[in-house]
Amino acid sequence: MNFSDIAAVSGKRTLFKVVNPARTRLILESLDDQKKKMIVTMRDKVSILSEISIYTVDSEGSVPLEDVMKKTHQEFNGDTDLDKNSSPEELKSFLKFILPKYDENRVYVSDIRKLVQWYGQIVARVPELLQEKKEKIKKEEQE
């Protein structure tokens, strides 16, 4: 599984695994313990995590969400000590630490809150997404 296999649906708190992509619809399965399946169509607002970036003020203009998540994991190893009730100042400080050149005018507190929630779900359900490729190869060789 990789970041292109994980989706977020507007209005839903949990992340979803893409089970069956098709031209006009997607079958998704929740990453929580319930493993509920749902069908979404083109009318639903669905975002694939590999297609999401965070705005920056440097020449690149943005950084892929996957890179931000992996850097978060390197720094915090699964425990950011933040949640949906964290103050805006704490959330901004957290992102400033992870991504010093993030665009404070275009990245909202609600976006940072989603980042923290998604990171927590990924750590809990699919932590292998956050491992560097070298670590994955080593793990596969040991098995």
Side-chain angles (χ1 to χ4, degrees):
M1 186 180 302
N2 56 45
F3 276 79
S4 61
D5 298 326
I6 306 293
V9 179
S10 182
K12 306 287 184 187
R13 289 189 174 196
T14 190
L15 291 174
F16 295 86
K17 174 183 169 187
V18 177
V19 176
N20 187 4
R23 186 175 290 199
T24 59
R25 63 175 171 74
L26 287 171
I27 298 175
L28 304 174
E29 179 181 84
S30 64
L31 285 181
D32 59 12
D33 290 334
Q34 296 176 355
K35 302 281 187 211
K36 286 186 179 180
K37 290 189 178 172
M38 66 185 281
I39 297 173
V40 293
T41 63
M42 294 173 74
R43 283 186 262 153
D44 297 300
K45 187 169 181 177
V46 177
S47 300
I48 304 298
L49 294 194
S50 64
E51 298 172 0
I52 298 173
S53 294
I54 296 182
Y55 293 115
T56 60
V57 293
D58 59 11
S59 61
E60 299 289 320
S62 66
V63 173
L65 179 65
E66 181 175 358
D67 294 351
V68 174
M69 292 266 194
K70 286 180 178 179
K71 174 115 192 262
T72 302
H73 196 62
Q74 287 173 353
E75 296 292 336
F76 294 95
N77 198 27
D79 186 15
T80 61
D81 202 32
L82 298 169
D83 61 22
K84 65 181 182 180
N85 298 320
S86 297
S87 73
E89 293 76 28
E90 287 177 307
L91 293 166
K92 289 178 185 179
S93 175
F94 157 76
L95 189 55
K96 192 73 159 173
F97 177 75
I98 295 299
L99 192 61
K101 294 188 177 189
Y102 89 93
D103 189 338
E104 296 179 38
N105 295 321
R106 293 170 61 185
V107 178
Y108 302 107
V109 171
S110 60
D111 299 327
I112 303 169
R113 192 165 277 133
K114 277 185 210 171
L115 167 68
V116 169
Q117 289 175 335
W118 291 350
Y119 174 73
Q121 289 179 39
I122 288 173
V123 166
R125 306 293 179 200
V126 282
E128 64 273 8
L129 287 182
L130 301 171
Q131 293 178 348
E132 292 299 319
K133 290 183 181 185
K134 292 176 190 173
E135 292 176 20
K136 285 183 183 179
I137 292 169
K138 253 187 195 178
K139 189 176 179 182
E140 289 170 3
E141 287 174 354
Q142 290 174 353
E143 293 175 351

